[in-house]
Coordinates of all heavy atoms in Angstrom, one line a residue:
M1 N -71.9 20.3 -91.0 CA -72.6 19.8 -92.2 C -73.0 18.4 -91.9 O -72.2 17.6 -91.4 CB -71.7 19.9 -93.4 CG -72.3 19.4 -94.7 SD -71.1 19.4 -96.1 CE -70.4 21.0 -96.0
N2 N -74.2 18.0 -92.3 CA -74.6 16.6 -92.0 C -74.0 15.7 -93.0 O -73.6 16.0 -94.1 CB -76.1 16.5 -91.9 CG -76.8 16.7 -93.2 OD1 -76.3 16.3 -94.2 ND2 -78.0 17.3 -93.1
A3 N -73.9 14.4 -92.6 CA -73.2 13.4 -93.4 C -73.9 13.1 -94.7 O -73.2 12.9 -95.7 CB -73.0 12.1 -92.6
I4 N -75.2 13.1 -94.7 CA -75.9 12.9 -95.9 C -75.7 13.9 -97.0 O -75.4 13.7 -98.1 CB -77.4 12.7 -95.6 CG1 -77.6 11.4 -94.8 CG2 -78.3 12.7 -96.9 CD1 -79.0 11.2 -94.3
K5 N -75.6 15.2 -96.5 CA -75.4 16.3 -97.4 C -73.9 16.2 -97.9 O -73.7 16.4 -99.1 CB -75.6 17.6 -96.7 CG -75.4 18.8 -97.6 CD -75.7 20.1 -96.8 CE -75.5 21.3 -97.6 NZ -75.8 22.6 -96.9
K6 N -73.0 15.9 -97.0 CA -71.6 15.8 -97.4 C -71.4 14.6 -98.4 O -70.6 14.8 -99.4 CB -70.7 15.6 -96.2 CG -69.2 15.6 -96.6 CD -68.4 15.9 -95.4 CE -66.9 15.7 -95.8 NZ -66.2 16.9 -95.8
A7 N -72.1 13.5 -98.2 CA -72.0 12.4 -99.1 C -72.5 12.8 -100.5 O -71.9 12.5 -101.6 CB -72.8 11.2 -98.6
R8 N -73.6 13.6 -100.6 CA -74.1 14.0 -101.8 C -73.1 14.9 -102.6 O -72.9 14.8 -103.8 CB -75.4 14.8 -101.6 CG -76.1 15.2 -102.9 CD -77.3 16.1 -102.7 NE -76.9 17.4 -102.4 CZ -77.3 18.1 -101.3 NH1 -78.2 17.6 -100.5 NH2 -76.9 19.3 -101.1
Q9 N -72.4 15.8 -101.8 CA -71.4 16.6 -102.4 C -70.2 15.8 -103.0 O -69.7 16.1 -104.1 CB -70.9 17.6 -101.4 CG -71.9 18.7 -101.0 CD -71.4 19.6 -99.9 OE1 -70.5 19.3 -99.2 NE2 -72.1 20.8 -99.8
I10 N -69.8 14.8 -102.3 CA -68.7 13.9 -102.7 C -69.2 13.2 -104.0 O -68.4 13.1 -105.0 CB -68.3 12.9 -101.7 CG1 -67.6 13.6 -100.5 CG2 -67.4 11.8 -102.2 CD1 -67.3 12.8 -99.3
I11 N -70.4 12.7 -104.0 CA -70.9 11.9 -105.2 C -71.0 12.8 -106.4 O -70.6 12.4 -107.5 CB -72.2 11.2 -104.8 CG1 -72.0 10.1 -103.8 CG2 -72.9 10.6 -106.1 CD1 -73.3 9.6 -103.2
T12 N -71.5 14.0 -106.2 CA -71.7 14.9 -107.4 C -70.4 15.5 -107.8 O -70.2 15.8 -109.0 CB -72.7 16.0 -107.1 OG1 -72.3 16.7 -105.9 CG2 -74.1 15.4 -106.8
A13 N -69.4 15.7 -106.9 CA -68.2 16.3 -107.3 C -67.3 15.4 -108.1 O -66.6 15.9 -109.0 CB -67.4 16.8 -106.0
A14 N -67.3 14.1 -107.8 CA -66.5 13.2 -108.5 C -67.2 11.8 -108.6 O -66.8 10.8 -108.0 CB -65.1 13.0 -107.8
P15 N -68.2 11.8 -109.4 CA -69.0 10.6 -109.5 C -68.3 9.3 -110.0 O -68.7 8.2 -109.8 CB -70.2 10.9 -110.5 CG -69.7 12.1 -111.2 CD -68.7 12.8 -110.3
E16 N -67.2 9.6 -110.7 CA -66.4 8.4 -111.2 C -65.4 7.8 -110.2 O -64.9 6.8 -110.4 CB -65.6 8.9 -112.5 CG -64.5 9.8 -112.2 CD -64.9 11.3 -111.8 OE1 -66.0 11.7 -112.1 OE2 -64.0 12.0 -111.2
S17 N -65.2 8.5 -109.1 CA -64.3 8.0 -108.1 C -64.9 6.7 -107.4 O -66.1 6.6 -107.3 CB -64.0 9.1 -107.0 OG -65.1 9.2 -106.1
D18 N -64.0 5.9 -106.9 CA -64.4 4.7 -106.2 C -65.2 5.0 -104.9 O -66.2 4.3 -104.6 CB -63.2 3.8 -105.9 CG -62.6 3.2 -107.1 OD1 -63.3 3.0 -108.1 OD2 -61.4 2.8 -107.0
D19 N -64.7 6.0 -104.2 CA -65.5 6.4 -103.0 C -66.9 6.9 -103.3 O -67.8 6.5 -102.6 CB -64.7 7.5 -102.2 CG -63.5 7.0 -101.4 OD1 -63.2 5.8 -101.5 OD2 -62.9 7.8 -100.7
A20 N -67.0 7.7 -104.3 CA -68.4 8.1 -104.7 C -69.3 7.0 -105.1 O -70.4 6.9 -104.7 CB -68.3 9.2 -105.8
K21 N -68.7 6.1 -105.9 CA -69.5 4.9 -106.3 C -69.9 4.1 -105.1 O -71.1 3.6 -105.1 CB -68.7 4.1 -107.3 CG -68.5 4.7 -108.7 CD -67.6 3.9 -109.6 CE -67.3 4.6 -110.9 NZ -66.4 3.8 -111.7
T22 N -69.0 3.9 -104.2 CA -69.4 3.1 -103.0 C -70.4 3.8 -102.2 O -71.4 3.2 -101.7 CB -68.1 2.8 -102.1 OG1 -67.2 2.1 -102.9 CG2 -68.5 2.0 -100.9
L23 N -70.3 5.1 -102.0 CA -71.3 5.9 -101.2 C -72.6 5.8 -101.9 O -73.7 5.7 -101.3 CB -70.8 7.3 -101.0 CG -69.7 7.6 -100.0 CD1 -69.3 9.0 -100.1 CD2 -70.1 7.1 -98.6
A24 N -72.6 5.9 -103.2 CA -73.9 5.9 -104.0 C -74.6 4.5 -103.8 O -75.8 4.4 -103.7 CB -73.6 6.2 -105.5
R25 N -73.8 3.4 -103.9 CA -74.4 2.1 -103.7 C -74.9 1.9 -102.3 O -76.0 1.3 -102.1 CB -73.3 1.0 -104.0 CG -73.0 0.8 -105.5 CD -72.2 -0.5 -105.8 NE -71.0 -0.6 -105.0 CZ -69.8 -0.1 -105.4 NH1 -69.7 0.5 -106.5 NH2 -68.8 -0.3 -104.6
L26 N -74.2 2.5 -101.3 CA -74.7 2.5 -99.9 C -76.0 3.2 -99.8 O -77.0 2.7 -99.2 CB -73.7 3.1 -99.0 CG -74.1 3.2 -97.5 CD1 -74.4 1.8 -96.9 CD2 -73.0 3.9 -96.7
V27 N -76.1 4.4 -100.4 CA -77.4 5.1 -100.3 C -78.5 4.4 -101.0 O -79.6 4.3 -100.4 CB -77.2 6.5 -101.0 CG1 -78.6 7.2 -101.3 CG2 -76.3 7.4 -100.3
L28 N -78.3 3.8 -102.1 CA -79.3 3.0 -102.8 C -79.7 1.8 -102.0 O -80.9 1.5 -101.9 CB -78.9 2.6 -104.2 CG -78.6 3.8 -105.2 CD1 -78.0 3.3 -106.5 CD2 -79.9 4.5 -105.4
A29 N -78.8 1.1 -101.4 CA -79.1 0.0 -100.5 C -79.9 0.4 -99.3 O -80.9 -0.3 -98.9 CB -77.8 -0.7 -100.1
L30 N -79.6 1.5 -98.7 CA -80.3 2.0 -97.5 C -81.7 2.4 -97.9 O -82.7 2.0 -97.2 CB -79.6 3.2 -96.9 CG -78.3 2.9 -96.2 CD1 -77.6 4.2 -95.9 CD2 -78.6 2.1 -94.9
E31 N -81.9 3.0 -99.0 CA -83.2 3.5 -99.5 C -84.1 2.3 -99.8 O -85.3 2.2 -99.5 CB -83.1 4.4 -100.7 CG -84.5 4.9 -101.2 CD -85.2 5.7 -100.1 OE1 -84.6 6.3 -99.3 OE2 -86.5 5.7 -100.2
A32 N -83.5 1.3 -100.4 CA -84.3 0.1 -100.8 C -84.4 -1.0 -99.7 O -85.0 -2.0 -99.9 CB -83.6 -0.6 -102.1
E33 N -83.7 -0.7 -98.6 CA -83.6 -1.6 -97.5 C -83.0 -3.0 -98.0 O -83.5 -4.0 -97.7 CB -84.9 -1.8 -96.8 CG -85.4 -0.5 -96.1 CD -86.6 -0.7 -95.3 OE1 -87.1 -1.8 -95.1 OE2 -87.1 0.3 -94.8
A34 N -82.0 -2.9 -98.9 CA -81.4 -4.0 -99.5 C -80.1 -4.3 -98.8 O -79.5 -3.5 -98.1 CB -81.2 -3.7 -101.0
D35 N -79.6 -5.5 -99.1 CA -78.3 -5.9 -98.6 C -77.2 -5.0 -99.2 O -77.3 -4.6 -100.3 CB -78.0 -7.3 -98.9 CG -78.9 -8.3 -98.1 OD1 -79.4 -7.9 -97.0 OD2 -79.0 -9.4 -98.5
F36 N -76.1 -4.8 -98.4 CA -75.0 -4.0 -98.9 C -73.7 -4.7 -98.3 O -73.7 -5.0 -97.1 CB -75.0 -2.6 -98.3 CG -73.8 -1.8 -98.7 CD1 -73.8 -1.2 -100.0 CD2 -72.8 -1.6 -97.9 CE1 -72.7 -0.4 -100.4 CE2 -71.7 -0.8 -98.2 CZ -71.6 -0.2 -99.5
P37 N -72.7 -5.0 -99.2 CA -71.5 -5.7 -98.7 C -70.7 -4.7 -97.9 O -70.0 -3.8 -98.4 CB -70.8 -6.1 -100.0 CG -71.3 -5.1 -101.0 CD -72.7 -4.7 -100.6
L38 N -70.7 -4.9 -96.6 CA -69.9 -4.1 -95.7 C -68.4 -4.0 -96.0 O -67.8 -3.0 -95.7 CB -70.1 -4.5 -94.2 CG -71.6 -4.2 -93.7 CD1 -71.7 -4.7 -92.2 CD2 -71.9 -2.8 -93.7
A39 N -67.9 -5.1 -96.5 CA -66.5 -5.2 -96.8 C -66.1 -4.1 -97.8 O -65.0 -3.6 -97.8 CB -66.1 -6.6 -97.4
S40 N -67.0 -3.6 -98.6 CA -66.7 -2.6 -99.6 C -66.4 -1.3 -98.9 O -65.7 -0.4 -99.5 CB -67.8 -2.4 -100.6 OG -69.0 -1.9 -100.0
L41 N -66.9 -1.1 -97.7 CA -66.6 0.1 -96.9 C -65.1 0.2 -96.6 O -64.5 1.3 -96.4 CB -67.4 0.2 -95.6 CG -68.9 0.4 -95.8 CD1 -69.6 0.4 -94.5 CD2 -69.2 1.6 -96.6
Y42 N -64.4 -1.0 -96.4 CA -63.0 -1.0 -96.0 C -62.1 -0.4 -97.1 O -61.0 0.0 -96.8 CB -62.6 -2.4 -95.6 CG -63.3 -2.9 -94.5 CD1 -63.9 -4.2 -94.5 CD2 -63.5 -2.2 -93.3 CE1 -64.6 -4.7 -93.4 CE2 -64.2 -2.7 -92.2 CZ -64.7 -4.0 -92.2 OH -65.4 -4.5 -91.2
G43 N -62.6 -0.4 -98.3 CA -61.8 0.2 -99.4 C -61.9 1.7 -99.5 O -61.1 2.3 -100.3
L44 N -62.7 2.3 -98.7 CA -62.9 3.8 -98.7 C -61.7 4.4 -98.0 O -61.1 3.8 -97.1 CB -64.1 4.2 -98.0 CG -65.5 3.8 -98.6 CD1 -66.6 4.1 -97.6 CD2 -65.7 4.4 -99.9
E45 N -61.4 5.7 -98.4 CA -60.4 6.4 -97.6 C -61.0 6.6 -96.2 O -62.2 6.6 -96.0 CB -60.2 7.8 -98.3 CG -59.6 7.8 -99.6 CD -59.3 9.2 -100.2 OE1 -59.2 10.1 -99.4 OE2 -59.3 9.3 -101.4
L46 N -60.1 6.8 -95.3 CA -60.5 6.8 -93.9 C -61.6 7.9 -93.6 O -62.6 7.6 -92.9 CB -59.3 7.0 -92.9 CG -59.6 6.9 -91.4 CD1 -60.3 5.6 -91.0 CD2 -58.4 7.1 -90.6
S47 N -61.4 9.0 -94.1 CA -62.4 10.1 -93.9 C -63.7 9.8 -94.5 O -64.8 10.1 -94.0 CB -61.9 11.4 -94.4 OG -61.7 11.4 -95.8
T48 N -63.7 9.1 -95.7 CA -65.0 8.7 -96.3 C -65.6 7.5 -95.6 O -66.8 7.4 -95.5 CB -64.7 8.3 -97.8 OG1 -64.0 9.4 -98.4 CG2 -66.0 8.1 -98.5
F49 N -64.8 6.6 -95.0 CA -65.3 5.5 -94.2 C -66.0 6.1 -93.0 O -67.1 5.7 -92.7 CB -64.1 4.7 -93.8 CG -64.5 3.5 -92.8 CD1 -65.0 2.4 -93.3 CD2 -64.4 3.7 -91.5 CE1 -65.4 1.3 -92.5 CE2 -64.7 2.7 -90.6 CZ -65.2 1.5 -91.1
D50 N -65.4 7.1 -92.3 CA -66.0 7.7 -91.2 C -67.3 8.4 -91.6 O -68.3 8.4 -90.9 CB -65.1 8.8 -90.5 CG -63.9 8.1 -89.8 OD1 -64.0 6.9 -89.4 OD2 -62.9 8.8 -89.6
L51 N -67.3 9.0 -92.8 CA -68.5 9.7 -93.3 C -69.6 8.6 -93.5 O -70.8 8.9 -93.2 CB -68.2 10.4 -94.6 CG -69.4 11.0 -95.3 CD1 -70.1 12.1 -94.5 CD2 -69.0 11.5 -96.7
A52 N -69.3 7.5 -94.1 CA -70.2 6.4 -94.3 C -70.9 6.0 -93.0 O -72.1 5.7 -92.9 CB -69.6 5.2 -95.0
L53 N -70.1 5.8 -92.0 CA -70.6 5.5 -90.6 C -71.6 6.5 -90.1 O -72.6 6.2 -89.6 CB -69.5 5.2 -89.7 CG -68.6 4.0 -90.0 CD1 -67.5 3.9 -88.9 CD2 -69.4 2.7 -90.1
D54 N -71.2 7.8 -90.3 CA -72.0 8.9 -89.8 C -73.3 8.9 -90.6 O -74.4 9.2 -90.1 CB -71.3 10.2 -90.0 CG -70.2 10.4 -88.9 OD1 -70.2 9.7 -87.9 OD2 -69.3 11.3 -89.2
M55 N -73.2 8.6 -91.9 CA -74.4 8.5 -92.8 C -75.3 7.4 -92.3 O -76.6 7.7 -92.3 CB -73.9 8.2 -94.2 CG -74.8 8.8 -95.3 SD -74.0 8.7 -96.9 CE -74.3 7.0 -97.2
L56 N -74.8 6.3 -91.9 CA -75.7 5.2 -91.4 C -76.4 5.7 -90.1 O -77.6 5.4 -90.0 CB -74.8 4.0 -91.1 CG -74.3 3.2 -92.3 CD1 -73.2 2.2 -91.8 CD2 -75.4 2.5 -93.0
K57 N -75.7 6.4 -89.3 CA -76.4 6.9 -88.1 C -77.5 7.9 -88.4 O -78.6 7.8 -87.9 CB -75.3 7.6 -87.2 CG -74.3 6.6 -86.6 CD -73.3 7.4 -85.8 CE -72.1 6.5 -85.4 NZ -71.0 7.3 -84.7
E58 N -77.2 8.8 -89.3 CA -78.2 9.8 -89.7 C -79.4 9.1 -90.4 O -80.5 9.5 -90.2 CB -77.6 10.9 -90.6 CG -76.7 11.8 -89.9 CD -76.2 12.9 -90.8 OE1 -76.7 13.1 -91.9 OE2 -75.2 13.6 -90.4
W59 N -79.1 8.1 -91.2 CA -80.2 7.5 -91.9 C -81.1 6.8 -90.9 O -82.3 6.8 -91.1 CB -79.6 6.4 -92.9 CG -80.5 6.1 -94.0 CD1 -81.6 5.2 -94.0 CD2 -80.5 6.7 -95.4 NE1 -82.2 5.2 -95.2 CE2 -81.5 6.1 -96.1 CE3 -79.7 7.6 -96.0 CZ2 -81.8 6.4 -97.4 CZ3 -79.9 7.9 -97.3 CH2 -81.0 7.3 -98.0
R60 N -80.5 6.2 -89.9 CA -81.3 5.5 -88.9 C -82.2 6.5 -88.2 O -83.4 6.3 -87.9 CB -80.4 4.8 -87.9 CG -81.1 4.0 -86.9 CD -80.2 3.3 -86.0 NE -80.8 2.8 -84.8 CZ -81.2 1.6 -84.6 NH1 -80.9 0.7 -85.5 NH2 -81.8 1.2 -83.5
L61 N -81.6 7.7 -87.8 CA -82.4 8.7 -87.1 C -83.5 9.2 -88.0 O -84.6 9.4 -87.6 CB -81.5 9.9 -86.7 CG -80.6 9.6 -85.5 CD1 -79.7 10.8 -85.3 CD2 -81.5 9.4 -84.3
D62 N -83.2 9.4 -89.3 CA -84.2 9.9 -90.3 C -85.4 8.9 -90.4 O -86.5 9.3 -90.5 CB -83.6 10.2 -91.6 CG -82.8 11.5 -91.7 OD1 -82.9 12.3 -90.7 OD2 -82.1 11.7 -92.7
R63 N -85.0 7.6 -90.4 CA -86.1 6.6 -90.4 C -87.0 6.7 -89.2 O -88.2 6.6 -89.3 CB -85.5 5.2 -90.6 CG -85.0 4.9 -91.9 CD -84.4 3.5 -91.9 NE -85.2 2.6 -91.3 CZ -85.8 1.6 -91.9 NH1 -85.7 1.4 -93.2 NH2 -86.6 0.7 -91.2
Y64 N -86.3 6.9 -88.0 CA -87.1 7.0 -86.8 C -88.0 8.2 -86.9 O -89.2 8.1 -86.5 CB -86.1 7.2 -85.6 CG -86.8 7.6 -84.4 CD1 -87.6 6.8 -83.6 CD2 -86.7 9.0 -83.9 CE1 -88.2 7.2 -82.5 CE2 -87.4 9.4 -82.8 CZ -88.1 8.5 -82.1 OH -88.8 8.9 -80.9
Y65 N -87.5 9.4 -87.4 CA -88.3 10.6 -87.4 C -89.4 10.4 -88.5 O -90.5 10.9 -88.3 CB -87.5 11.8 -87.7 CG -86.7 12.2 -86.5 CD1 -85.3 12.3 -86.5 CD2 -87.3 12.5 -85.3 CE1 -84.6 12.6 -85.4 CE2 -86.6 12.8 -84.2 CZ -85.2 12.9 -84.2 OH -84.5 13.2 -83.1
A66 N -89.2 9.7 -89.6 CA -90.2 9.4 -90.5 C -91.3 8.6 -89.9 O -92.5 8.9 -90.1 CB -89.6 8.7 -91.8
R67 N -91.0 7.6 -89.1 CA -92.0 6.8 -88.5 C -92.7 7.6 -87.4 O -93.9 7.4 -87.2 CB -91.3 5.6 -87.8 CG -90.9 4.6 -88.8 CD -90.3 3.3 -88.2 NE -89.9 2.4 -89.2 CZ -89.0 1.5 -89.0 NH1 -88.4 1.3 -87.8 NH2 -88.6 0.7 -90.0
K68 N -92.0 8.5 -86.8 CA -92.7 9.4 -85.8 C -93.7 10.3 -86.5 O -94.8 10.5 -86.0 CB -91.6 10.2 -85.1 CG -92.1 11.1 -84.0 CD -91.0 11.9 -83.4 CE -91.6 12.9 -82.4 NZ -90.5 13.8 -81.8
G69 N -93.4 10.8 -87.7 CA -94.3 11.6 -88.4 C -95.6 10.8 -88.8 O -96.7 11.3 -88.7
K70 N -95.4 9.6 -89.1 CA -96.6 8.7 -89.4 C -97.4 8.5 -88.2 O -98.6 8.5 -88.2 CB -96.1 7.4 -90.0 CG -95.5 7.5 -91.4 CD -95.0 6.1 -91.9 CE -94.3 6.3 -93.2 NZ -93.7 5.0 -93.7
L71 N -96.7 8.3 -87.1 CA -97.4 8.1 -85.8 C -98.2 9.4 -85.5 O -99.4 9.3 -85.0 CB -96.4 7.8 -84.7 CG -97.0 7.7 -83.3 CD1 -98.1 6.6 -83.1 CD2 -95.9 7.5 -82.3
L72 N -97.6 10.5 -85.6 CA -98.3 11.8 -85.4 C -99.5 12.0 -86.3 O -100.6 12.4 -85.9 CB -97.3 13.0 -85.5 CG -96.3 13.1 -84.4 CD1 -95.3 14.2 -84.8 CD2 -96.9 13.4 -83.1
D73 N -99.3 11.6 -87.6 CA -100.4 11.7 -88.5 C -101.6 10.8 -88.1 O -102.8 11.3 -88.1 CB -100.0 11.3 -89.9 CG -101.0 11.5 -91.0 OD1 -101.7 12.6 -90.9 OD2 -101.2 10.6 -91.8
V74 N -101.4 9.6 -87.8 CA -102.4 8.7 -87.3 C -103.0 9.2 -86.0 O -104.3 9.1 -85.9 CB -101.9 7.2 -87.2 CG1 -102.8 6.3 -86.5 CG2 -101.5 6.7 -88.5
S75 N -102.2 9.6 -85.1 CA -102.8 10.2 -83.9 C -103.7 11.4 -84.1 O -104.7 11.5 -83.5 CB -101.6 10.6 -82.9 OG -100.8 9.4 -82.6
Y76 N -103.3 12.2 -85.0 CA -104.1 13.4 -85.3 C -105.4 13.0 -85.9 O -106.5 13.5 -85.5 CB -103.3 14.3 -86.3 CG -104.1 15.5 -86.8 CD1 -104.4 16.6 -85.9 CD2 -104.7 15.5 -88.0 CE1 -105.2 17.6 -86.4 CE2 -105.5 16.5 -88.5 CZ -105.7 17.6 -87.6 OH -106.5 18.7 -88.1
Q77 N -105.4 12.0 -86.8 CA -106.6 11.5 -87.5 C -107.6 11.0 -86.4 O -108.8 11.2 -86.5 CB -106.3 10.5 -88.6 CG -105.6 11.1 -89.8 CD -105.2 10.1 -90.8 OE1 -105.7 8.9 -90.8 NE2 -104.3 10.4 -91.7
V78 N -107.0 10.2 -85.5 CA -107.9 9.6 -84.5 C -108.5 10.6 -83.6 O -109.6 10.6 -83.2 CB -107.1 8.5 -83.6 CG1 -107.8 8.1 -82.4 CG2 -106.7 7.3 -84.5
N79 N -107.7 11.6 -83.3 CA -108.1 12.7 -82.4 C -109.3 13.5 -83.1 O -110.2 13.9 -82.5 CB -107.0 13.7 -82.1 CG -107.3 14.7 -81.0 OD1 -108.0 14.3 -80.0 ND2 -106.9 15.9 -81.2
V80 N -109.1 13.8 -84.4 CA -110.1 14.5 -85.1 C -111.4 13.7 -85.2 O -112.5 14.2 -85.0 CB -109.6 14.9 -86.6 CG1 -110.7 15.3 -87.5 CG2 -108.5 15.9 -86.5
Q81 N -111.3 12.4 -85.5 CA -112.5 11.6 -85.5 C -113.2 11.5 -84.2 O -114.4 11.5 -84.1 CB -112.1 10.2 -86.0 CG -111.7 10.1 -87.5 CD -111.2 8.7 -87.9 OE1 -111.1 7.8 -87.1 NE2 -110.9 8.6 -89.2
A82 N -112.4 11.5 -83.1 CA -113.0 11.4 -81.8 C -113.8 12.6 -81.4 O -114.7 12.6 -80.6 CB -111.9 11.1 -80.7
S83 N -113.4 13.8 -81.9 CA -114.0 15.0 -81.6 C -115.3 15.3 -82.4 O -116.0 16.3 -82.1 CB -113.0 16.2 -81.8 OG -112.7 16.4 -83.1
H84 N -115.6 14.5 -83.4 CA -116.8 14.7 -84.2 C -117.9 13.9 -83.6 O -118.1 13.0 -83.1 CB -116.6 14.3 -85.6 CG -115.8 15.4 -86.3 ND1 -114.6 15.1 -86.9 CD2 -116.0 16.7 -86.5 CE1 -114.1 16.2 -87.5 NE2 -115.0 17.2 -87.2

């Protein structure tokens, strides 16, 4: 199971828990490309801390693939224009 999906399950299962609140704040900060206090990760249970690190890795990869998609789209448009 990927970390982003597992984080969603933790947040929805117990939204009032400190771990869920921290994960939710991390997600919002990542999406907004905003600052996030890393020290708050130290308050997580160890398994949730590991999950947060995995989530950061996945988020970074997803951003890469999103940019790759944009590159493919632009490349396709240029190719179509060149063939006309």
Side-chain angles (χ1 to χ4, degrees):
M1 179 183 315
N2 67 36
I4 292 171
K5 183 178 179 181
K6 185 161 174 112
R8 186 184 75 232
Q9 289 176 341
I10 289 171
I11 293 167
T12 57
E16 70 287 341
S17 74
D18 290 337
D19 281 6
K21 290 176 185 176
T22 299
L23 287 175
R25 286 193 306 271
L26 176 59
V27 168
L28 294 174
L30 289 169
E31 181 62 27
E33 296 185 8
D35 291 338
F36 179 81
L38 291 177
S40 65
L41 295 178
Y42 297 131
L44 295 171
E45 293 183 29
L46 183 57
S47 61
T48 309
F49 176 83
D50 289 338
L51 174 65
L53 295 180
D54 290 341
M55 212 170 75
L56 288 168
K57 291 175 190 174
E58 285 182 17
W59 203 279
R60 181 179 168 104
L61 283 175
D62 285 347
R63 285 178 46 111
Y64 167 75
Y65 288 121
R67 288 185 182 156
K68 182 179 174 184
K70 291 177 185 176
L71 174 62
L72 289 171
D73 183 47
V74 168
S75 298
Y76 175 75
Q77 290 176 18
V78 168
N79 190 43
V80 168
Q81 290 175 355
S83 65
H84 285 120

